[in-house]
Amino acid sequence: LYGDDDPDVLARCFTPQELLDVGDDADRLSRLAARFAAKEAVFKALGGAEGISHTDIEVVRTVTGAPEIRLHGPAAEL
């Protein structure tokens, strides 16, 4: 994932909680890429709406470990 070592790029693409959730081990890049792909799929499902940022779409884990999408701001309003 381009920008893995660039905090500004990471902050534009992922919420602080997502960055904590992916950890810092060897699988970090795979987890970031999977979350980014999920965000892109949701963005497309929303019609590619203008004004929605990557951080408006958040991928979180439930207590069972299953992924869940949470929408914030303009994404939630749409």
Side-chain angles (χ1 to χ4, degrees):
L1 182 69
Y2 176 77
D4 176 52
D5 58 354
D6 186 334
D8 292 331
V9 171
L10 291 174
R12 283 193 307 268
C13 294
F14 302 100
T15 66
Q17 187 61 51
E18 287 175 311
L19 293 173
L20 282 174
D21 288 349
V22 298
D24 60 359
D25 62 9
D27 292 330
R28 179 174 189 254
L29 286 178
S30 295
R31 288 190 208 101
L32 285 172
R35 285 170 189 255
F36 191 82
K39 289 171 177 262
E40 286 291 308
V42 172
F43 182 79
K44 289 178 182 177
L46 294 173
E50 191 172 318
I52 295 177
S53 72
H54 284 95
T55 55
D56 292 333
I57 303 166
E58 184 177 33
V59 181
V60 297
R61 292 260 177 212
T62 65
V63 292
T64 64
E68 179 178 277
I69 300 292
R70 290 195 184 146
L71 302 178
H72 307 282
E77 291 172 15
L78 184 63

